[in-house]
């Protein structure tokens, strides 16, 4: 029985359909030897779809959803609507924060009871044919107790409350068969250096993450632990600024083999990077875990979390992912929300259908570029000089003295060669 999305049929792949249909996302289509569904591993997020009420800094709730409220009955109705939407979309995965799907209790014990009851409720829905869980996470940023951070808080009681909450969320993720556990440092950062001790806060975050990794091993969680970089918002400066910054942090605490990354398009742009930069940086460091494919509005310059709609951008992102061998535990989550004027149930469906189709087109273009081989051939040719035994010997064994002697003896006099940027951009344009 329909609880919210009345008269909306399951969305199917049908390029010639009139109404709502996937025109590019065909789960069964084989791309580079793998089903499209298995490449993209789409996940639907809980919080923007079902918890966010449509507010912005200048106005409150615009959406009118029957599950808005603080009781367990509201939470269960919300879950019913969520699984109804998952079923209509046919996505293989979903994601949640604890606070998205359980009511806030009076204290930690009540939060835990509410979470556990909801985990059983979701588990039943998953057993009845619902999607799998790509990742779970704890919301350590909305409640006022977290206003000065969670792990990095000046108050050890907040550290303790946060650690205990993460334990319950890892248990929940494990129980629901989640394939990853995400940590986004929602308020791990500072508003002003005038009241901040950077050394302590970094140490607290390092110890916190080490405890998370220890607990993962203790409970035998098979999934990946993922950090989600973001440079600012809500705080002025977030510690998990970008891939390179998080890599330095992981190295410092010896966690670079234990933790991978969940990269978000909009966060990359806020950090002054392209999305493909962040993905390429992560794959070069062996850190790619999963992605959140939501983008920002380039004019507003803030984390607007919109659904993707730019095929060329998405294609370059999937190019880097395919080139590195594709997702293992990760997938493509839409941590995306509607615009606040998009009031109707069908808007939620249309947003995902469009986003999934844009990703499918991007994936197909990326695969075609890889199979064409033009970009990789050009890249290989550009570095070919380094493939000689002589160049490798210089790189690894040469000293400034020996290299100088060689330059003199061989009369080495470098001749500049074109980087061919425009040629390569034209090549990409044939596929997107
Ligand atoms: C916030 C954000 C979060 C994380 C999970 O910008 O992206 O939803 O994905 O906490
Ligand atoms: Co995100």
């Amino acid at each position: 029985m329909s609880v919210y999305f009345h008269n909306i049929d399951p969305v199917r792949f049908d390029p010639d359909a009139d109404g709502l249909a996937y025109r590019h996302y065909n789960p069964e289509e084989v791309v580079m030897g793998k089903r499209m569904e298995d490449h993209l591993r789409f996940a639907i997020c809980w919080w923007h779809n079902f918890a966010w009420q449509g507010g912005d800094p200048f106005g409150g709730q615009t959406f009118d959803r029957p599950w808005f409220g603080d009781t367990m009955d509201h939470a269960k109705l919300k879950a019913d609507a969520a699984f109804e939407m998952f079923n209509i979309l046919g996505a293989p995965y979903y994601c949640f924060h604890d606070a998205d799907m359980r009511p806030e209790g009076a204290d930690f014990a009540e939060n835990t009871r509410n979470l556990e009851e909801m985990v059983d409720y979701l588990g039943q829905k998953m057993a009845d044919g619902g999607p799998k869980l790509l990742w779970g996470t704890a919301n350590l940023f909305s409640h006022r107790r977290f206003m000065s951070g969670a792990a990095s808080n000046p108050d050890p009681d907040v550290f303790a409350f946060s650690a205990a909450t993460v334990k319950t969320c890892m248990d929940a993720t494990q129980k629901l068969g989640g394939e990853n556990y995400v940590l986004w440092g929602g308020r791990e950062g500072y508003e002003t250096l005038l009241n901040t001790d950077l050394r302590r806060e970094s140490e607290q975050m390092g110890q916190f993450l080490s405890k998370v990794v220890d607990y993962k091993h203790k409970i035998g969680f098979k999934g990946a632990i993922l950090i989600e970089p973001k440079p600012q918002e809500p705080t002025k400066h977030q510690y998990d600024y970008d891939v390179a910054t998080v890599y330095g942090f992981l190295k410092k605490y010896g966690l670079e083999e234990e933790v991978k990354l969940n990269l978000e398009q909009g966060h990359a742009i806020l950090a002054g990077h392209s999305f493909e930069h962040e993905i390429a940086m992560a794959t070069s460091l062996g850190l790619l875990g999963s992605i959140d494919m939501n983008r920002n509005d380039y004019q507003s310059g803030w984390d607007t979390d919109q659904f993707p709609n730019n095929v060329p951008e998405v294609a370059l992102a999937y190019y880097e992912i395919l080139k590195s061998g594709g997702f293992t535990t990760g997938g493509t989550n839409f941590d995306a929300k509607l615009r606040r004027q998009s009031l109707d149930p069908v808007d939620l469906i249309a947003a995902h259908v469009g986003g999934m189709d844009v990703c499918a087109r991007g994936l197909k273009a990326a695969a075609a570029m890889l199979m064409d081989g033009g970009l990789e051939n050009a890249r290989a040719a550009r570095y070919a000089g380094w493939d000689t035994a002589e160049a490798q010997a210089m790189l690894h064994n040469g000293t400034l003295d020996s290299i100088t002697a060689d330059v003199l003896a061989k009369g080495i006099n470098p001749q500049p060669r074109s980087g061919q940027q425009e040629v390569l951009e034209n090549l990409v344009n044939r596929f997107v």
Side-chain angles (χ1 to χ4, degrees):
M1 196 194 68
S2 167
V3 294
Y4 187 65
F5 297 94
H6 311 300
N7 305 321
I8 302 182
D9 293 329
V11 181
R12 306 270 178 244
F13 172 67
D14 182 356
D16 305 317
D18 254 352
L20 266 180
Y22 297 118
R23 288 168 170 76
H24 299 276
Y25 177 55
N26 177 5
E28 301 306 329
E29 185 177 330
V30 173
V31 177
M32 290 179 69
K34 204 153 108 180
R35 293 168 66 249
M36 215 188 254
E37 180 179 75
D38 300 333
H39 271 295
L40 292 163
R41 296 166 57 86
F42 283 128
I44 312 294
C45 92
W46 201 280
W47 90 307
H48 286 319
N49 287 315
F50 306 107
W52 180 60
Q53 303 190 339
D56 72 7
F58 298 93
Q61 177 177 348
T62 58
F63 300 140
D64 184 17
R65 315 281 198 219
W67 57 83
F68 287 166
D70 304 331
T71 66
M72 283 304 283
D73 284 344
H74 285 113
K76 287 180 182 167
L77 181 61
K78 194 198 287 188
D80 294 344
F83 276 78
E84 188 176 354
M85 186 168 100
F86 302 155
N87 185 43
I88 290 170
L89 291 170
Y93 289 99
Y94 73 103
C95 301
F96 63 74
H97 300 82
D98 53 350
D100 304 340
M101 51 91 158
R102 57 114 179 95
E104 189 69 31
D107 54 18
F108 173 72
E110 193 183 343
N111 277 350
T112 307
R113 278 197 304 278
N114 290 350
L115 180 69
E116 286 172 352
E117 191 175 332
M118 285 309 298
V119 164
D120 290 342
Y121 196 72
L122 301 191
Q124 193 54 55
K125 291 185 169 293
M126 291 168 75
D128 292 345
K132 294 179 284 182
L133 179 63
L134 186 65
W135 47 259
T137 187
N139 176 331
L140 304 178
F141 45 87
S142 292
H143 193 281
R144 63 194 290 272
R145 73 172 68 85
F146 303 118
M147 69 179 191
S148 312
S152 63
N153 203 289
D155 179 354
D157 283 354
V158 180
F159 183 102
F161 195 102
S162 305
T165 300
V166 166
K167 177 197 175 308
T168 64
C169 290
M170 290 176 76
D171 290 342
T173 302
Q174 162 103 321
K175 191 159 181 194
L176 293 172
E179 300 189 18
N180 304 271
Y181 184 82
V182 166
L183 297 127
W184 170 55
R187 291 186 193 272
E188 312 290 22
Y190 63 79
E191 299 293 351
T192 171
L193 269 180
L194 296 176
N195 65 11
T196 302
D197 183 335
L198 289 176
R199 213 159 76 88
R200 272 183 197 272
E201 296 203 0
S202 165
E203 175 69 14
Q204 288 169 217
M205 287 178 58
Q207 295 303 333
F208 192 97
L209 187 58
S210 300
K211 294 180 203 310
V212 168
V213 168
D214 288 348
Y215 190 65
K216 166 194 153 142
H217 291 305
K218 185 189 158 206
I219 62 175
F221 179 65
K222 293 282 172 289
I225 303 289
L226 306 177
I227 295 237
E228 183 170 324
K230 185 174 183 180
Q232 68 275 131
E233 199 230 40
T235 68
K236 167 194 171 69
H237 175 91
Q238 301 264 136
Y239 296 136
D240 297 334
Y241 198 93
D242 61 1
V243 170
T245 310
V246 174
Y247 177 66
F249 169 80
L250 294 175
K251 277 294 256 193
K252 179 171 177 199
Y253 294 100
L255 296 169
E256 72 274 16
E257 302 290 332
E258 295 281 0
V259 176
K260 290 192 160 41
L261 304 177
N262 183 44
L263 304 177
E264 181 166 315
Q265 202 276 1
H267 297 180
I269 307 300
L270 282 181
H273 302 307
S274 64
F275 194 28
E276 61 270 24
H277 164 93
E278 286 292 78
I279 296 171
M281 188 60 94
T283 61
S284 80
L285 295 166
L287 289 180
L288 178 69
S290 199
I291 61 170
D292 282 356
M293 195 40 118
N294 33 306
R295 62 170 175 106
N296 294 346
D297 184 312
Y298 287 117
Q299 277 158 285
S300 79
W302 209 232
D303 192 13
T304 54
D305 285 320
Q306 297 181 226
F307 285 84
N309 69 347
N310 185 325
V311 175
E313 272 186 357
V314 166
L316 292 179
Y318 282 120
Y319 185 81
E320 296 298 333
I321 292 168
L322 285 182
K323 189 156 67 98
S324 77
F327 293 124
T328 53
T329 63
T332 305
N333 180 41
F334 299 110
D335 190 16
K337 58 186 183 225
L338 296 174
R339 299 306 85 203
R340 68 197 291 270
Q341 300 176 52
S342 302
L343 303 179
D344 300 339
V346 72
D347 291 324
L348 274 169
I349 306 295
H352 288 87
V353 170
M356 288 158 81
D357 261 350
V358 166
C359 290
R361 283 185 74 181
L363 177 82
K364 286 188 284 187
M369 285 193 279
L370 260 184
M371 287 185 299
D372 170 77
L375 285 177
E376 292 321 301
N377 290 341
R379 200 190 312 265
R382 187 158 185 250
Y383 291 92
W386 282 105
D387 293 340
T388 64
E390 218 181 345
Q392 288 300 312
M394 168 184 72
L395 184 63
H396 296 290
N397 308 321
T399 64
L400 290 189
D401 282 329
S402 70
I403 293 173
T404 305
D406 257 6
V407 169
L408 288 171
K410 295 179 187 157
I412 290 176
N413 190 14
Q415 298 305 308
R417 279 188 301 143
S418 171
Q420 299 185 318
Q421 179 167 338
E422 296 77 5
V423 171
L424 298 174
E425 286 169 349
N426 294 354
L427 180 59
V428 168
N429 201 32
R430 288 180 10 210
F431 296 94
V432 297

